[in-house]
Amino acid sequence: MAKLFLFGIGGTGSRVIRSLTMLLASGVELPNCDRVVPIIIDPDAHNGDMNRTVALLQSYQQVHRRLGQQEEGFFKTDISTLSNISADANGGVKDTFIFDFGGINQSFRQYLHYDQLSVDSKAVVELLFTQDNLESPLTIGFRGSPNVGSVVLNKVVESPEMRFFADNFQEGDRVFFVSSIFGGTGAAGFPLLLKNLKDPNTRLSNARYLRDALTGAVTVMPYFALQSEDNQVIDSNNFLTKTKAALSYYEHNLPGLDALYYLADTPDTPYDNQPGGTQQKNKAHLIELLAALSIVDFMQYSDAELRSGAPHFHEYGLGSDSMEVQFGHLPDETRELIAKHLTQLLYFSRYHKQHLPDDKAPYHDNLKLDYALRNEPIFRELNNLLHSPEFGVDQWLQELSQNRRAFRPFDLTTEDFNAMIAGKPVEKKWNDFFNKGLSHNYILDSLNKADKSINEPDNFKKLLALFYDVTDKAFEEKVKVV
């Protein structure tokens, strides 16, 4: 079973993994692997972006486990924690998607044991780091300082998690890094981890497999700004300077990389200037969705294609500089990849909330949904995954539509399925009494018919199969193209 090890480094890493999880929930295919293993690396244990991504991953994992292996459908792709990839229950790492920093409850000065250093060593430290760097609390990450991050993140390389990762790495597995280039954690962590994984003298096990593994990365350049406030340690006016410095380093120091994706956008409406902690919770952004698609793109290439003429460099461009991006603004390849799947997910989520609890129909009775929706834990978990105001599908789509560069392929204000795809209403034939387009009755009738043809004793599995088939049929018959 080939695996994709996905390192999400810093806040941007978490947010991109959030968007990838939504794509996989919708049924987007991730070829050339049987399992995705996200490893989130962020010393800020209370980071809001990271924790809601972890909550989403845990919810997805529960739903997928109940569904099991399937050829197609919602939640098709297996997402596992690092500890789940081994049959050894005593592997020595926690069953979590987050790298365990062990709670760095100290300043950078204390981390360096600065007061115990010799006079000459202190002088070197003072040349490399400002007083703000030294006094910075590591509990909220590196606050936009990659020079601090590059020191602390060395802890990752010699950790039990990294040894466990290497011990379970097999021939045919792939690696992908997600990071920003204008902050602290991502800009420092990506080249550091890559260098150590590809080091010919590494002490990690399976060194040859690691060295030869197909490896990709997306490096996200500035796409948002932060509010300028007095006494704030992160100044987004410096993002471009940091990006240029990092790019000049990356040019000659990314050994063993087979594909590198670049993404950026004109800075958006400034976010609250939160250096870390629970308050750092940015709205989902189109750039993060496109970064997630870079992972899908990387996995679509065969081994031979990636090894031929590597490294490969990729950028992304929209058809027009629109501030309200709909499906029609996306390149054909992207639109064909995600438009149908995201539409199916939206239809499912909307019907689940608007109609499923109150439907009076044969399919509903056969699945015993009156009882299941109220009492079975897996049905409540699905409700969380779709509708949680913290991490659910509804919230994600809403956030994407609220940025200055808004991804707004759907009208999220309407309850009319005919009008949900922006700019592509489903045609109703008013001269045909029975053709009301994509109506509640059309979907209800389709569910009842599909219920007779799908032979599945598990009511949860059957519900998901019903809705995947019915939303697929609705798109093909009523929407057709976007």
Side-chain angles (χ1 to χ4, degrees), residues 138-321:
L138 298 179
T139 50
I140 57 171
F142 309 132
R143 305 199 301 179
S145 301
N147 54 336
V148 174
S150 61
V151 174
V152 179
L153 288 174
N154 272 296
K155 180 178 181 179
V156 175
V157 178
E158 300 176 355
S159 66
E161 288 87 350
M162 192 58 66
R163 289 196 297 273
F164 187 85
F165 154 74
D167 290 345
N168 289 278
F169 198 90
Q170 298 174 324
E171 188 175 14
D173 291 346
R174 297 188 185 188
V175 179
F176 198 93
F177 297 95
V178 182
S179 62
S180 73
I181 201 171
F182 55 93
T185 308
F190 162 44
L192 179 69
L193 287 170
L194 178 66
K195 177 183 176 183
N196 281 276
L197 292 186
K198 301 297 183 177
D199 184 355
N201 299 314
T202 182
R203 290 178 291 179
L204 294 172
S205 58
N206 293 317
R208 182 172 65 82
Y209 292 160
L210 287 169
R211 188 170 61 251
D212 295 341
L214 290 169
T215 304
V218 58
T219 185
V220 182
M221 296 180 285
Y223 66 102
F224 64 82
L226 299 174
Q227 293 177 359
S228 297
E229 299 176 12
D230 293 339
N231 301 318
Q232 285 290 353
V233 294
I234 300 178
D235 183 359
S236 59
N237 292 316
N238 295 329
F239 282 176
L240 283 178
T241 302
K242 291 180 178 180
T243 297
K244 291 177 182 178
L247 285 173
S248 66
Y249 177 81
Y250 285 9
E251 184 179 4
H252 304 292
N253 293 278
L254 297 179
L257 195 65
D258 298 291
L260 181 59
Y261 295 78
Y262 294 102
L263 281 168
D265 195 13
T266 305
D268 214 322
T269 302
Y271 293 153
D272 290 341
N273 199 326
Q274 299 289 345
T278 58
Q279 297 303 309
Q280 191 181 86
K281 194 182 291 185
N282 297 347
K283 292 176 183 175
H285 196 285
L286 173 62
I287 286 291
E288 295 151 13
L289 174 60
L290 297 177
L293 285 170
S294 73
I295 302 167
V296 179
D297 185 79
F298 173 73
M299 294 306 295
Q300 287 177 333
Y301 285 100
S302 68
D303 289 18
E305 288 173 321
L306 284 170
R307 296 191 191 283
S308 174
H312 302 273
F313 298 98
H314 303 268
E315 294 180 318
Y316 192 93
L318 295 173
S320 62
D321 190 19

Side-chain angles (χ1 to χ4, degrees), residues 107-145:
S107 68
F108 187 50
R109 174 191 290 271
Q110 293 168 324
Y111 183 86
L112 293 175
H113 303 291
Y114 176 87
D115 292 338
Q116 284 76 53
L117 295 177
S118 66
V119 173
D120 288 344
S121 295
K122 286 180 179 179
V124 173
V125 168
E126 289 168 2
L127 280 173
L128 297 173
F129 304 100
T130 67
Q131 283 302 308
D132 282 342
N133 289 154
L134 293 173
E135 302 305 328
S136 174
L138 298 179
T139 50
I140 57 171
F142 309 132
R143 305 199 301 179
S145 301

Side-chain angles (χ1 to χ4, degrees), residues 428-437:
K428 304 176 190 178
K429 294 183 180 179
W430 297 107
N431 60 344
D432 183 348
F433 179 78
F434 296 101
N435 191 340
K436 303 300 183 189

